[in-house]
Amino acid sequence: MSKARLRRIARQFPENGLKLLLETPANVRELLQLTGTKLIDLIDFDRLTRSRTTFVARDFRHVEADVVLRAPVRPPRRRGKAARSGSVLVYILIEHQSEPDPLMVLRLLEYTVQVYRSQVRHPRSEQVRRHPRLDPVLPVVLYTGTAAWESLGTMHDLVALGGLFQEMVPSFGPLFLNVGALAPDVVESRGGGLGPVLRLLQQRKARAAEFRALLARTVERLEALAETEQARWRDLLTYLHALVYNQRHSTEQPKL
């Protein structure tokens, strides 16, 4: 990684630090692994591409960042029939605000609808209008705050008399990953290289000795990537550098 990119991550941490990491397909895969979704085996991460579009409302850009990715999908075969290939749009909303937002599911629904609408505005939209067939959108919320937040809830939770008007209320079930709730065993079993980094982010305010020990374990685990995925290894280490620079006291930094 260039010095300019390193400075960029450090300067924009945490708003865009994770966003830059999620330019790497392996990190995206491991993020989805941490959510436990069963859809992960259908997505071809090797051919993942990123769009530079953002759908975050201007009023929330100081606490949110998003990543829009497209990848081929390989649906399972059914009764000997060839599966129809397609694409999925993975929409990751990185949420940095310190407190849970009870209206998050509504805002995410709005962003997701915009992702769908963007397919209609695409240069090939005339074809979409003649043969309406939109690619699915997989919405994911990555919450990095420290307050407890068990789930996003549903639109039915927000709407008064939602039970009576159930058929009229959008059914919406995005994936949700709360960094603060990551358990060590989940990081070990599903986290790959990204998991330990998120675990360290979770413990960014830990006591100096505890943080130093966890940082050492994280770096040691990332060493496995040094030979096979060197560019990714450098990106993850750069993120750790930015984490230390922004979250730990200046007196600790030289030792870390």
Side-chain angles (χ1 to χ4, degrees), residues 47-231:
R47 293 193 284 164
L48 191 76
T49 58
R50 180 184 170 190
S51 167
R52 296 294 173 180
T53 305
T54 180
F55 295 95
V56 172
R58 189 175 299 276
D59 292 348
F60 289 94
R61 289 180 185 173
H62 64 294
V63 292
E64 292 177 344
D66 60 358
V67 183
V68 186
L69 308 136
R70 180 184 291 275
V73 172
R74 299 179 296 260
R77 296 175 65 89
R78 295 183 178 178
R79 296 183 180 180
K81 295 182 179 180
R84 175 180 291 181
S85 61
S87 297
V88 61
L89 287 158
V90 181
Y91 181 71
I92 304 173
L93 183 66
I94 306 168
E95 189 67 27
H96 297 297
Q97 58 185 356
S98 58
E99 297 292 331
D101 183 352
L103 293 175
M104 170 58 68
V105 69
L106 176 61
R107 193 159 73 252
L108 184 62
L109 175 60
E110 180 182 353
Y111 295 160
T112 303
V113 170
Q114 289 184 46
V115 179
Y116 277 113
R117 287 182 60 85
S118 69
Q119 297 181 55
V120 180
R121 295 194 298 267
H122 191 273
R124 290 177 293 179
S125 60
E126 195 58 40
Q127 179 182 350
V128 173
R129 291 191 183 94
R130 288 197 302 269
H131 306 284
R133 205 66 183 165
L134 301 177
D135 290 330
V137 178
L138 176 59
V140 186
V141 173
L142 176 60
Y143 171 60
T144 64
T146 56
W149 194 353
E150 292 185 7
S151 71
L152 295 177
T154 67
M155 287 296 299
H156 290 91
D157 298 329
L158 290 180
V159 178
L161 304 177
L164 296 176
F165 291 85
Q166 186 171 358
E167 294 182 359
M168 312 303 168
V169 178
S171 181
F172 187 57
L175 301 179
F176 180 57
L177 182 62
N178 180 352
V179 171
L182 276 178
D185 60 325
V186 173
V187 171
E188 289 296 326
S189 61
R190 305 178 190 166
L194 182 67
V197 173
L198 294 181
R199 172 77 173 157
L200 191 68
L201 175 64
Q202 175 196 76
Q203 299 297 319
R204 59 191 179 272
K205 300 298 184 183
R207 292 181 179 179
E210 295 173 1
F211 183 86
R212 189 182 308 115
L214 183 57
L215 176 61
R217 291 198 299 272
T218 302
V219 172
E220 182 180 359
R221 182 160 176 178
L222 292 181
E223 287 300 311
L225 302 175
E227 294 184 5
T228 58
E229 301 177 76
Q230 193 171 70

Side-chain angles (χ1 to χ4, degrees), residues 10-11 239-250 253:
R11 186 174 61 251
Y239 182 81
L240 296 185
H241 179 278
L243 176 63
V244 169
Y245 179 80
N246 284 273
Q247 299 294 318
R248 304 304 299 187
H249 195 274
S250 59
Q253 293 174 9

Side-chain angles (χ1 to χ4, degrees), residues 9-20:
I9 291 180
R11 186 174 61 251
Q12 298 178 332
F13 181 93
E15 287 77 5
N16 283 332
L18 286 172
K19 184 172 180 176
L20 291 173

